[in-house]
Amino acid sequence: MINFEAILSKRIARRFKSLRGIIPPEIIANGQKSQILSIEKEKIPKSGNFVSDTLLDAYSDYFGKSKSELIFGDSDEKETQIFELFHRIFLSVYPDELREKSKVIKDLELKADPKVMESFTDFFHIFGDFGRWYNLKQHELTDTEEDIFIDFDSMYYIFWSLSKNKIMRSFQEKVISTSFTESDNKFYFNRINDKVNRWLINDFSSVIIPDMLEKLKTDSIFKIGFLVKNLIDEFLVKNLSESFLENIPLQEYFPPVKSYHFNLKEGTSQEEIMEASEELLRFFSQEKKRRDNETPEEFYQRIEKEKFFENSRIVEDMSRPFINGTRKISAEGFLNSVLDTPEVFDTIHNLNLKERKIPGILTVNSQASKLFQQKVNEVVLSIIDDLVRYQNIFINCIKWEELQDFI
């Protein structure tokens, strides 16, 4: 539970003491000297009602200040208090080393509801750098400052600049205003925590953050953060067990290809050229269509058996034989060959090519799939690193004063 009353009590104590100055307490509120002095010393009564409704009335009448200002401060003080509140919540996801060095008050009871924390971390995934650290790197670090190269403070200031107007309007309506409009028209300091925590859950987490995220998802810079999160959630397989697979069965099916290289060397006789020409005509006249009732395999075997240029000195046979069988190959080598496929093959969209199959890749040879996932992980991690770098460059191009009017 967020103890916002603890934040307020410190400021109220200073504010009341400053207002009173050397004025005797009895003049401000007759018969309430002990309560006034207790407030100035920040002594919280067992009831938790730090400032009573009666005393608040007396201070408001004597100094001509609104009750709202006496409890929550002026507009700048209100903003500072909420800024510190959310910064403290954000500190809970900081690396330990950075959290210890933070200048924000550390001795306050500020344990946010899990729903608030979830919405908070959801928001900070607009930063790819945060998403990469939060989901992948935080457990790999030794939590020393030298290991952490993430600008958490700037991320928080960007969050505050984007959300400040919405948050302050909502806080004014749901917390401050309702604190002075109770059913019995009295003020209860010890009900503020309940109001703040309900506001955090019902308004900040359920309305403000979702609305902001919807807007940010349409922005070309901040949507990169969502893309990084999606790649991590949907495409990376974490804690993938090590694969000891070395070889996999590869079923290959390649029709025969007839290919010949003519090498007309100096001294080649006219007779050799004529013989090669006649053989070339015979090659072109070869029957290249399947006969009735002839299977593809029988057709390919027949084509392969026909020989050409067997006795020619000037023609080199470069033909590829008919391949129809299964052999063992290096799993690592196969995956590397897939990843190194030339970009020209990007134009091929056929999903049922017969040339190469791995029998049982989804069941019996699931180890092959696991090894492939390791390669996919490597590719995705490289993409994530690139996206984080690009987004950081673009974020540095933003003028921060423009953020508060963005959403």
Side-chain angles (χ1 to χ4, degrees), residues 34-163:
S34 61
Q35 187 181 356
I36 291 174
L37 295 179
S38 293
I39 290 173
E40 291 179 1
K41 293 176 182 178
E42 202 186 332
K43 291 183 178 180
I44 311 294
K46 290 183 179 180
S47 66
N49 206 26
F50 186 55
V51 180
S52 69
D53 180 67
T54 304
L55 184 60
L56 186 60
D57 275 339
Y59 262 73
S60 178
D61 291 340
Y62 188 88
F63 292 104
K65 291 185 177 293
S66 69
K67 294 180 181 181
S68 171
E69 184 176 347
L70 287 169
I71 297 300
F72 294 96
D74 59 25
S75 59
D76 289 340
E77 288 175 306
K78 292 172 186 173
E79 184 177 313
T80 299
Q81 288 165 173
I82 304 303
F83 175 89
E84 290 182 358
L85 168 66
F86 283 112
H87 195 191
R88 182 61 178 139
I89 295 174
F90 185 46
L91 277 175
S92 63
V93 298
Y94 264 42
D96 292 339
E97 183 73 10
L98 295 184
R99 189 185 307 127
E100 290 301 316
K101 292 190 175 184
S102 173
K103 296 179 181 179
V104 178
I105 300 171
K106 304 181 183 64
D107 59 350
L108 298 181
E109 193 178 318
L110 291 172
K111 296 181 180 178
D113 184 270
K115 184 177 180 180
V116 177
M117 289 305 306
E118 182 181 355
S119 66
F120 215 65
T121 52
D122 282 348
F123 180 88
F124 278 90
H125 277 87
I126 66 171
F127 303 104
D129 217 352
F130 176 87
R132 180 178 60 176
W133 170 80
Y134 187 80
N135 296 287
L136 299 177
K137 291 192 171 185
Q138 65 171 318
H139 302 299
E140 299 174 6
L141 301 176
T142 59
D143 269 3
T144 60
E145 198 167 5
E146 291 74 19
D147 293 324
I148 302 166
F149 301 98
I150 303 173
D151 193 354
F152 290 98
D153 286 341
S154 291
M155 289 180 187
Y156 179 76
Y157 280 99
I158 290 173
F159 156 77
W160 182 247
S161 297
L162 287 168
S163 63

Side-chain angles (χ1 to χ4, degrees), residues 190-206:
N190 55 3
R191 295 181 182 179
I192 292 176
N193 276 350
D194 183 59
K195 293 178 185 294
V196 169
N197 283 277
R198 280 191 283 110
W199 170 74
L200 284 171
I201 295 171
N202 298 331
D203 294 273
F204 174 75
S205 300
S206 302

